[in-house]
Amino acid sequence: MHVTHLSLADFRSYARVEVPLEPGVTAFVGANGQGKTNLVEAVGYLATLGSHRVASDAPLVRMGAERAVIRAAVTQGERSQLIELELNPGKANRARINRSSQVKPRDVLGIVRTVLFAPEDLALVKGDPGERRRFLDELITARSPRMAGVRSDYERVLKQRNTLLKSAAMARRHGGRSMDLSTLDVWDQHLARAGAELLARRLDLIATLQPLTDKAYEQLAPGGGPVTLEYRGSAGGGAAQTREELYEQLMDALGEARKQEIERGVTLVGPHRDELLLKLGEMPAKGYASHGESWSYALALRLASYDLLRAEGNEPVLVLDDVFAELDARRRERLAELVAPGEQVLVTAAVDDDVPGVLAGARYRVADGAVEHV
Ligand SMILES: Nc1ncnc2c1ncn2[C@@H]1O[C@H](COP(=O)(O)OP(=O)(O)O)[C@@H](O)[C@H]1O
Ligand SMILES: [Mg+2]
């Protein structure tokens, strides 16, 4: 798929901007702080309903404005669709598809698919486990938009279960009457049901991603691997694979953890506590890999995501936000060659020289709130 037109109103630094787009490569070039990332962040938002830079919507709305609107025309094969998202921080966001407002924002998921490379990606390797969980879960949702519902069910159940545990912990500490724990049993089942579905998807994704990541790493840094993706579940590892087995495993682990959970007032078992261990050779990349190796690893994970999504039918838009300046000449060239054949590739760079030669294509100058074709 590709985006044929992007239109923003009160999004980030833009009061209004219209950007016609073609398939192939488009580069946005301009000095720092001129609004290049803001453009591609909006494209990414259409694909994930979130920003790759911030956790909430508020910073996405232009300072002083009440709401932001992202509009895009999208073409997949013969089919064209118009999507519109209205961001209302603190209130419900709204969506329209082909001018119909009988849809929820979540219905937009799956129309635009992106694989976004950004300087922030280094945190995939060096950052907290939450970064890697988000990577997995966003890719799961891109593969299967229905999973957005399962993810939010899980988050909701987790929140309510934590509230319950917290009051149990308080009651215990203050010597009040002990709580009726049968309510907790019900929450355990809800948590394990949504958790098992998410877990099954993560395990399936990792199995699929493993060979693709190893291949991509080899292409970026020949002889530097192998890389291994290892899932470390908080409910214990082992043979559990089917959703039913994972459910049982989660229920058992919750049973074992209960005493400790009531003491601490927080849910200690479940996908929200799991870790994706990234190994380079025999060692974990985090804490051991060099800066360059960590970069190659992060890029390999994104390239593997791209391979996976395109193999499953709907080719995603590739977004490379200011990444070439971060890389040495060899990695820069390899990466550029690997992404060049993409159906649509959006690149941002501070100067023309940061855009590799194989990525020649349309070019926009971004300065003073304007985006101009050159
Ligand atoms: N909500 C907002 N309202 C107004 N301006 C914003 C908002 N969020 C970010 N900006 C401005 O956008 C600019 C950064 O844009 P960005 O796209 O990140 O730049 P770059 O071209 O370096 O990628 C900054 O000058 C920042 O002040
Ligand atoms: Mg930027």
Side-chain angles (χ1 to χ4, degrees):
M1 48 90 27
H2 62 272
V3 178
T4 54
H5 193 94
L6 177 69
S7 160
L8 305 177
D10 291 330
F11 183 88
R12 288 282 199 186
S13 53
Y14 293 102
R16 276 210 88 95
V17 70
E18 304 290 333
V19 189
L21 293 164
E22 303 272 337
V25 180
T26 300
F28 299 96
V29 180
N32 282 331
Q34 296 301 307
K36 306 181 297 293
T37 301
N38 294 346
L39 292 173
V40 294
E41 185 178 39
V43 177
Y45 195 98
L46 294 168
T48 61
L49 302 183
S51 156
H52 70 288
R53 293 196 287 188
V54 287
S56 78
D57 285 349
L60 306 180
V61 176
R62 193 166 67 95
M63 194 57 80
E66 229 173 279
R67 66 182 71 85
V69 178
I70 308 172
R71 241 181 240 112
V74 180
T75 293
Q76 187 193 348
E78 303 283 279
R79 187 164 183 223
S80 289
Q81 280 175 285
L82 187 65
I83 49 186
E84 235 180 282
L85 282 173
E86 187 184 285
L87 279 55
N88 299 302
K91 287 185 279 175
N93 290 346
R94 294 207 291 210
R96 298 207 299 169
I97 300 176
N98 296 330
R99 307 196 189 279
S100 156
S101 49
Q102 306 298 315
V103 294
K104 297 188 298 291
R106 226 188 265 157
D107 296 326
V108 166
L109 290 170
I111 299 177
V112 174
R113 301 215 285 180
T114 59
V115 173
L116 193 145
F117 298 72
E120 287 82 0
D121 284 349
L122 207 51
L124 270 181
V125 180
K126 292 176 176 268
D128 294 336
E131 303 278 351
R132 290 174 286 284
R133 289 193 294 264
R134 184 160 66 100
F135 165 74
L136 293 175
D137 293 346
E138 278 184 358
L139 194 49
I140 284 168
T141 309
R143 291 177 92 184
S144 167
R146 194 187 67 77
M147 286 302 293
V150 175
R151 280 170 70 190
S152 76
D153 284 350
Y154 184 80
E155 293 301 323
R156 200 188 61 242
V157 171
L158 178 64
K159 226 166 148 184
Q160 301 193 354
R161 192 174 181 278
N162 280 342
T163 306
L164 198 62
L165 284 170
K166 210 166 286 156
S167 48
M170 289 284 268
R172 220 174 141 272
R173 238 168 266 149
H174 298 296
R177 69 185 177 86
S178 62
M179 291 208 6
D180 173 12
L181 292 176
S182 61
T183 330
L184 200 52
D185 290 338
V186 178
W187 286 113
D188 284 8
Q189 290 164 22
H190 288 314
L191 191 83
R193 199 162 306 126
E197 185 157 7
L198 190 54
L199 263 174
R201 296 286 182 147
R202 283 190 188 169
L203 294 173
D204 174 67
L205 172 64
I206 289 165
T208 314
L209 214 51
Q210 162 67 51
L212 299 175
T213 312
D214 195 48
K215 187 189 82 187
Y217 194 94
E218 178 63 23
Q219 287 169 323
L220 290 164
V227 303
T228 320
L229 313 181
E230 222 173 270
Y231 197 73
R232 296 278 169 95
S234 54
Q241 284 295 330
T242 67
R243 226 198 289 171
E244 205 42 51
E245 288 166 347
L246 291 163
Y247 174 83
E248 293 302 332
Q249 191 183 48
L250 276 170
M251 286 299 285
D252 288 348
L254 285 168
E256 272 169 45
R258 172 158 308 181
K259 190 159 164 281
Q260 215 192 342
E261 286 190 331
I262 290 174
E263 264 161 34
R264 305 213 358 221
V266 61
T267 300
L268 296 171
V269 173
H272 68 291
R273 301 283 289 208
D274 295 353
E275 165 69 305
L276 169 65
L277 183 66
L278 305 175
K279 284 168 72 180
L280 180 58
E282 289 306 306
M283 286 175 282
K286 180 177 173 170
Y288 292 86
S290 72
H291 187 75
E293 287 170 335
S294 300
W295 253 116
S296 295
Y297 215 129
L299 296 173
L301 287 167
R302 295 294 182 201
L303 285 168
S305 309
Y306 173 51
D307 278 350
L308 175 88
L309 292 178
R310 76 203 294 211
E312 289 179 353
N314 185 1
E315 172 142 1
V317 176
L318 283 163
V319 178
L320 295 109
D321 182 26
D322 220 3
V323 290
F324 292 109
E326 305 263 349
L327 305 175
D328 58 49
R330 204 192 52 181
R331 262 181 278 253
R332 191 192 266 231
E333 207 140 296
R334 291 248 157 79
L335 178 64
E337 280 163 16
L338 291 168
V339 298
E343 178 176 337
Q344 186 168 53
V345 187
L346 306 178
V347 180
T348 78
V351 291
D352 285 307
D353 283 351
D354 279 345
V355 184
V358 292
L359 295 180
R363 197 153 292 201
Y364 283 97
R365 194 73 51 209
V366 181
D368 302 325
V371 182
E372 293 191 358
H373 199 275
V374 288

Short mmCIF file of all heavy atoms in Angstrom, two decimals, residues 70-101:
data_model
loop_
_atom_site.label_atom_id
_atom_site.label_comp_id
_atom_site.label_asym_id
_atom_site.label_seq_id
_atom_site.Cartn_x
_atom_site.Cartn_y
_atom_site.Cartn_z
N ILE A 70 -5.57 14.38 11.29
CA ILE A 70 -4.69 13.74 10.30
C ILE A 70 -5.61 13.12 9.25
O ILE A 70 -6.51 12.36 9.59
CB ILE A 70 -3.86 12.59 10.93
CG1 ILE A 70 -3.12 13.07 12.17
CG2 ILE A 70 -2.89 12.01 9.90
CD1 ILE A 70 -2.42 11.92 12.93
N ARG A 71 -5.36 13.49 8.00
CA ARG A 71 -6.16 12.94 6.90
C ARG A 71 -5.21 12.30 5.90
O ARG A 71 -4.15 12.85 5.62
CB ARG A 71 -6.88 14.07 6.19
CG ARG A 71 -8.36 13.97 6.23
CD ARG A 71 -9.02 15.12 5.48
NE ARG A 71 -9.87 15.86 6.41
CZ ARG A 71 -9.63 17.08 6.83
NH1 ARG A 71 -8.59 17.76 6.41
NH2 ARG A 71 -10.46 17.66 7.69
N ALA A 72 -5.60 11.16 5.36
CA ALA A 72 -4.73 10.55 4.35
C ALA A 72 -5.55 9.79 3.32
O ALA A 72 -6.56 9.16 3.65
CB ALA A 72 -3.73 9.61 5.02
N ALA A 73 -5.11 9.89 2.08
CA ALA A 73 -5.66 9.04 1.02
C ALA A 73 -4.68 7.91 0.82
O ALA A 73 -3.48 8.13 0.72
CB ALA A 73 -5.84 9.85 -0.26
N VAL A 74 -5.21 6.70 0.79
CA VAL A 74 -4.37 5.51 0.81
C VAL A 74 -4.78 4.58 -0.33
O VAL A 74 -5.97 4.38 -0.56
CB VAL A 74 -4.56 4.76 2.15
CG1 VAL A 74 -3.70 3.52 2.20
CG2 VAL A 74 -4.25 5.67 3.32
N THR A 75 -3.80 4.06 -1.04
CA THR A 75 -4.10 3.16 -2.15
C THR A 75 -3.48 1.80 -1.90
O THR A 75 -2.30 1.70 -1.57
CB THR A 75 -3.55 3.73 -3.47
OG1 THR A 75 -4.30 4.91 -3.77
CG2 THR A 75 -3.72 2.76 -4.62
N GLN A 76 -4.31 0.78 -2.01
CA GLN A 76 -3.76 -0.58 -1.97
C GLN A 76 -4.29 -1.32 -3.19
O GLN A 76 -5.49 -1.55 -3.31
CB GLN A 76 -4.19 -1.30 -0.69
CG GLN A 76 -3.49 -2.64 -0.57
CD GLN A 76 -4.09 -3.54 0.49
OE1 GLN A 76 -4.90 -3.11 1.30
NE2 GLN A 76 -3.71 -4.80 0.46
N GLY A 77 -3.39 -1.66 -4.10
CA GLY A 77 -3.80 -2.29 -5.34
C GLY A 77 -4.78 -1.38 -6.07
O GLY A 77 -4.46 -0.24 -6.39
N GLU A 78 -6.00 -1.86 -6.30
CA GLU A 78 -7.00 -1.10 -7.03
C GLU A 78 -7.82 -0.19 -6.11
O GLU A 78 -8.62 0.61 -6.57
CB GLU A 78 -7.99 -2.07 -7.72
CG GLU A 78 -7.35 -3.07 -8.65
CD GLU A 78 -6.98 -2.41 -9.97
OE1 GLU A 78 -7.89 -2.27 -10.82
OE2 GLU A 78 -5.80 -2.03 -10.14
N ARG A 79 -7.64 -0.41 -4.82
CA ARG A 79 -8.56 0.18 -3.87
C ARG A 79 -8.00 1.46 -3.24
O ARG A 79 -6.87 1.49 -2.79
CB ARG A 79 -8.79 -0.87 -2.79
CG ARG A 79 -9.85 -0.51 -1.80
CD ARG A 79 -10.28 -1.75 -1.05
NE ARG A 79 -11.36 -1.41 -0.14
CZ ARG A 79 -11.44 -1.85 1.11
NH1 ARG A 79 -10.52 -2.66 1.57
NH2 ARG A 79 -12.46 -1.50 1.87
N SER A 80 -8.82 2.51 -3.20
CA SER A 80 -8.41 3.74 -2.53
C SER A 80 -9.33 4.04 -1.37
O SER A 80 -10.55 3.85 -1.48
CB SER A 80 -8.43 4.90 -3.51
OG SER A 80 -7.37 4.75 -4.42
N GLN A 81 -8.75 4.50 -0.28
CA GLN A 81 -9.55 4.84 0.88
C GLN A 81 -9.09 6.17 1.46
O GLN A 81 -7.92 6.53 1.37
CB GLN A 81 -9.42 3.76 1.97
CG GLN A 81 -10.28 2.55 1.69
CD GLN A 81 -10.04 1.45 2.71
OE1 GLN A 81 -9.04 0.76 2.68
NE2 GLN A 81 -10.99 1.30 3.62
N LEU A 82 -10.07 6.88 2.04
CA LEU A 82 -9.76 8.15 2.66
C LEU A 82 -9.95 7.97 4.16
O LEU A 82 -11.03 7.58 4.60
CB LEU A 82 -10.73 9.20 2.13
CG LEU A 82 -10.46 10.64 2.54
CD1 LEU A 82 -9.14 11.12 1.97
CD2 LEU A 82 -11.61 11.53 2.09
N ILE A 83 -8.90 8.21 4.94
CA ILE A 83 -9.08 8.08 6.38
C ILE A 83 -8.80 9.40 7.08
O ILE A 83 -7.99 10.21 6.64
CB ILE A 83 -8.24 6.95 7.00
CG1 ILE A 83 -6.80 7.04 6.56
CG2 ILE A 83 -8.79 5.60 6.67
CD1 ILE A 83 -6.00 5.87 7.04
N GLU A 84 -9.51 9.57 8.17
CA GLU A 84 -9.43 10.81 8.90
C GLU A 84 -9.43 10.49 10.38
O GLU A 84 -10.28 9.74 10.85
CB GLU A 84 -10.71 11.61 8.60
CG GLU A 84 -10.49 12.97 8.07
CD GLU A 84 -11.82 13.65 7.82
OE1 GLU A 84 -12.47 13.33 6.80
OE2 GLU A 84 -12.21 14.46 8.66
N LEU A 85 -8.49 11.05 11.10
CA LEU A 85 -8.47 10.87 12.54
C LEU A 85 -8.46 12.23 13.20
O LEU A 85 -7.70 13.11 12.81
CB LEU A 85 -7.22 10.10 12.98
CG LEU A 85 -7.21 8.58 12.79
CD1 LEU A 85 -5.84 8.03 13.11
CD2 LEU A 85 -8.27 7.92 13.67
N GLU A 86 -9.32 12.38 14.19
CA GLU A 86 -9.35 13.62 14.95
C GLU A 86 -8.85 13.30 16.35
O GLU A 86 -9.39 12.43 17.03
CB GLU A 86 -10.79 14.13 15.00
CG GLU A 86 -10.96 15.47 15.62
CD GLU A 86 -12.44 15.85 15.70
OE1 GLU A 86 -13.02 16.21 14.65
OE2 GLU A 86 -13.00 15.76 16.80
N LEU A 87 -7.80 13.99 16.76
CA LEU A 87 -7.21 13.74 18.08
C LEU A 87 -7.73 14.77 19.07
O LEU A 87 -7.51 15.97 18.89
CB LEU A 87 -5.68 13.84 18.00
CG LEU A 87 -4.91 12.63 17.47
CD1 LEU A 87 -5.40 12.20 16.09
CD2 LEU A 87 -3.42 12.96 17.38
N ASN A 88 -8.42 14.28 20.08
CA ASN A 88 -8.99 15.15 21.11
C ASN A 88 -8.42 14.77 22.47
O ASN A 88 -9.02 13.97 23.17
CB ASN A 88 -10.52 14.96 21.16
CG ASN A 88 -11.20 15.32 19.86
OD1 ASN A 88 -11.08 16.44 19.39
ND2 ASN A 88 -11.90 14.35 19.28
N PRO A 89 -7.29 15.32 22.83
CA PRO A 89 -6.67 14.90 24.09
C PRO A 89 -7.63 15.06 25.27
O PRO A 89 -8.34 16.06 25.36
CB PRO A 89 -5.48 15.86 24.24
CG PRO A 89 -5.17 16.28 22.86
CD PRO A 89 -6.50 16.34 22.15
N GLY A 90 -7.67 14.04 26.10
CA GLY A 90 -8.57 14.09 27.25
C GLY A 90 -9.98 13.64 26.92
O GLY A 90 -10.77 13.38 27.82
N LYS A 91 -10.29 13.57 25.63
CA LYS A 91 -11.61 13.08 25.22
C LYS A 91 -11.40 11.97 24.19
O LYS A 91 -10.28 11.68 23.79
CB LYS A 91 -12.43 14.22 24.60
CG LYS A 91 -12.93 15.22 25.61
CD LYS A 91 -13.84 16.27 24.98
CE LYS A 91 -13.00 17.36 24.29
NZ LYS A 91 -13.79 18.33 23.55
N ALA A 92 -12.51 11.38 23.75
CA ALA A 92 -12.38 10.28 22.79
C ALA A 92 -11.95 10.82 21.43
O ALA A 92 -12.47 11.84 20.97
CB ALA A 92 -13.72 9.55 22.66
N ASN A 93 -11.02 10.14 20.80
CA ASN A 93 -10.66 10.48 19.43
C ASN A 93 -11.76 10.02 18.49
O ASN A 93 -12.55 9.14 18.83
CB ASN A 93 -9.33 9.83 19.05
CG ASN A 93 -8.16 10.45 19.80
OD1 ASN A 93 -8.30 11.52 20.40
ND2 ASN A 93 -7.03 9.78 19.78
N ARG A 94 -11.79 10.63 17.30
CA ARG A 94 -12.82 10.24 16.35
C ARG A 94 -12.19 9.85 15.01
O ARG A 94 -11.10 10.30 14.67
CB ARG A 94 -13.81 11.38 16.15
CG ARG A 94 -14.59 11.64 17.43
CD ARG A 94 -15.91 12.22 17.14
NE ARG A 94 -15.74 13.59 16.63
CZ ARG A 94 -16.64 14.54 16.80
NH1 ARG A 94 -17.77 14.28 17.43
NH2 ARG A 94 -16.44 15.74 16.31
N ALA A 95 -12.90 9.02 14.29
CA ALA A 95 -12.38 8.56 13.01
C ALA A 95 -13.45 8.64 11.93
O ALA A 95 -14.65 8.59 12.22
CB ALA A 95 -11.89 7.12 13.14
N ARG A 96 -12.99 8.78 10.69
CA ARG A 96 -13.88 8.63 9.55
C ARG A 96 -13.14 7.83 8.49
O ARG A 96 -11.94 7.97 8.30
CB ARG A 96 -14.28 9.99 8.96
CG ARG A 96 -15.04 10.85 9.96
CD ARG A 96 -15.98 11.83 9.29
NE ARG A 96 -15.29 12.78 8.43
CZ ARG A 96 -15.92 13.59 7.59
NH1 ARG A 96 -17.25 13.54 7.46
NH2 ARG A 96 -15.24 14.44 6.85
N ILE A 97 -13.87 6.95 7.85
CA ILE A 97 -13.30 6.20 6.73
C ILE A 97 -14.21 6.44 5.54
O ILE A 97 -15.42 6.21 5.63
CB ILE A 97 -13.21 4.69 7.05
CG1 ILE A 97 -12.32 4.46 8.28
CG2 ILE A 97 -12.65 3.92 5.84
CD1 ILE A 97 -12.24 3.01 8.74
N ASN A 98 -13.63 6.90 4.44
CA ASN A 98 -14.42 7.26 3.26
C ASN A 98 -15.61 8.14 3.64
O ASN A 98 -16.73 7.92 3.21
CB ASN A 98 -14.88 6.00 2.52
CG ASN A 98 -13.69 5.23 1.99
OD1 ASN A 98 -12.66 5.81 1.66
ND2 ASN A 98 -13.82 3.91 1.93
N ARG A 99 -15.34 9.10 4.48
CA ARG A 99 -16.30 10.12 4.95
C ARG A 99 -17.40 9.58 5.85
O ARG A 99 -18.27 10.32 6.28
CB ARG A 99 -16.93 10.89 3.77
CG ARG A 99 -15.86 11.48 2.85
CD ARG A 99 -16.42 12.53 1.94
NE ARG A 99 -15.44 12.92 0.93
CZ ARG A 99 -14.44 13.78 1.15
NH1 ARG A 99 -14.32 14.36 2.32
NH2 ARG A 99 -13.58 14.06 0.19
N SER A 100 -17.39 8.29 6.13
CA SER A 100 -18.38 7.76 7.05
C SER A 100 -17.85 7.85 8.47
O SER A 100 -16.72 7.46 8.76
CB SER A 100 -18.68 6.30 6.72
OG SER A 100 -19.18 5.67 7.88
N SER A 101 -18.70 8.38 9.37
CA SER A 101 -18.25 8.49 10.75
C SER A 101 -18.80 7.36 11.61
O SER A 101 -18.72 7.39 12.82
CB SER A 101 -18.62 9.85 11.32
OG SER A 101 -19.97 10.11 11.06
#
